[in-house]
Amino acid sequence: SAVMESRCPDAESDYAAEGSMAHAVCALRLTAAQGRDTSAIEEEIAALAGTADPVGMKRAEMDRHADDYAEMVLGLLAEEGEGAELHVETPLDLDDWAPGSFGTSDAVIVGRTRITVVDYKYGTGVPVSAEGNAQMRMYALGALSEFGVERYVDTVRMVIWQPRISNYSTEEITARELVDWGENRLAPLARVADHVLLARSDMASFVDSLVAPLSVINALIVAVGMSRRDEIEQTFNKLERIWEEYDVYEKPEDDIN
């Protein structure tokens, strides 16, 4: 089975609340810059501010990085010229490539012949490269499906911005290359899977957390084991006899003697 991962908005931990707050502040900056209504985002920020004490103490840092982020995104928007569109916190349907999969892009810029997908990573740690980044390419495929149908899109640009470690990484490939990756790398995995399981993760980290997918995998292994309990018990008993016969493991009584 293939396990896909997506961000879950229902954050419980302080780190998740911090990540959600940082993204909300960025969305506020971009939405305000476009002259659009920000009341819903302001309500979200007010709600998040009460979920964890560390969030309030770091708000000044978030504001500073959000200002830099907004300046960067608006600069990318200006590069596309007149008529370019900016979409903030955009839900992307990836069902055409991996059934049941979806994601949310922090910012999507739609130009005349180029689409830019921006990912804002607030966590600290090692730099994340946009080069060959599967998550970014999946988001780019979703953006291409959403905004590239009624216009000619020649290239797709993917941008990762990690402000707390000053990492700015980009990859630009042709739309044909991106579709080829989706058709020959991503889609085949989903096609051969008996089921595509969505393991939602809200981990605020510099890399995508594997905790949720691995938890699903472990649960499946346990479920299979419980359904074949007698057979597995016989197998382990046989292994125990072999281990004992060849002294594979040291016994507690050996230590006493």
Side-chain angles (χ1 to χ4, degrees):
S1 295
V3 179
M4 300 298 177
E5 184 177 18
S6 61
R7 189 174 62 197
C8 175
D10 299 324
E12 295 291 339
S13 69
D14 286 352
Y15 288 115
E18 180 184 76
S20 296
M21 171 72 87
H23 280 83
V25 173
C26 286
L28 178 66
R29 292 291 192 278
L30 289 179
T31 303
Q34 293 178 287
R36 297 179 180 175
D37 179 39
T38 60
S39 56
I41 303 176
E42 290 171 353
E43 290 177 5
E44 179 186 358
I45 291 175
L48 287 169
T51 59
D53 291 339
V55 171
M57 294 189 295
K58 298 178 181 178
R59 178 60 191 273
E61 181 184 6
M62 289 182 187
D63 287 339
R64 185 174 71 256
H65 291 314
D67 289 338
D68 293 339
Y69 168 77
E71 182 179 355
M72 180 267 292
V73 172
L74 293 174
L76 295 175
L77 177 65
E79 289 180 12
E80 299 304 322
E82 185 177 356
E85 304 171 3
L86 172 60
H87 302 268
V88 180
E89 290 294 321
T90 306
L92 298 174
D93 185 359
L94 306 173
D95 198 65
D96 288 342
W97 310 95
S101 298
F102 57 91
T104 300
S105 178
D106 299 322
V108 176
I109 299 169
V110 184
R112 290 200 319 170
T113 61
R114 178 170 61 181
I115 288 178
T116 300
V117 177
V118 182
D119 188 31
Y120 181 76
K121 295 185 181 297
Y122 192 66
T124 58
V126 299
V128 179
S129 175
E131 293 282 339
N133 189 296
Q135 179 193 29
M136 293 302 297
R137 290 190 176 192
M138 288 178 70
Y139 284 176
L141 284 170
L144 190 63
S145 298
E146 179 72 20
F147 304 107
V149 177
E150 298 181 357
R151 55 172 56 82
Y152 173 75
V153 176
D154 179 59
T155 57
V156 179
R157 176 171 56 181
M158 291 148 283
V159 178
I160 292 177
W161 174 227
Q162 293 173 274
R164 297 167 83 182
I165 58 173
S166 301
N167 178 51
Y168 178 84
S169 179
T170 67
E171 179 183 48
E172 186 165 342
I173 59 177
T174 67
R176 180 64 256 175
E177 288 174 321
L178 178 64
V179 171
D180 181 70
W181 178 84
E183 290 178 343
N184 295 297
R185 296 288 298 276
L186 177 61
L189 175 64
R191 280 200 300 268
V192 300
D194 296 325
H195 303 282
V196 176
L197 302 180
L198 302 180
R200 300 185 179 184
S201 173
D202 61 7
M203 182 69 175
S205 173
F206 57 89
V207 295
D208 295 327
S209 172
L210 297 179
V211 173
L214 288 175
S215 296
V216 173
I217 292 171
N218 287 336
L220 288 172
I221 293 173
V222 171
V224 171
M226 293 297 291
S227 67
R228 305 173 66 177
R229 181 180 299 181
D230 293 340
E231 181 180 342
I232 290 178
E233 183 177 359
Q234 292 176 11
T235 299
F236 279 124
N237 286 336
K238 182 178 180 180
L239 285 173
E240 288 282 0
R241 290 193 296 270
I242 294 174
W243 294 337
E244 183 175 359
E245 181 179 352
Y246 292 98
D247 292 324
V248 175
Y249 295 108
E250 191 175 79
K251 300 177 184 178
E253 54 266 26
D254 293 339
D255 294 334
I256 297 176
N257 297 331

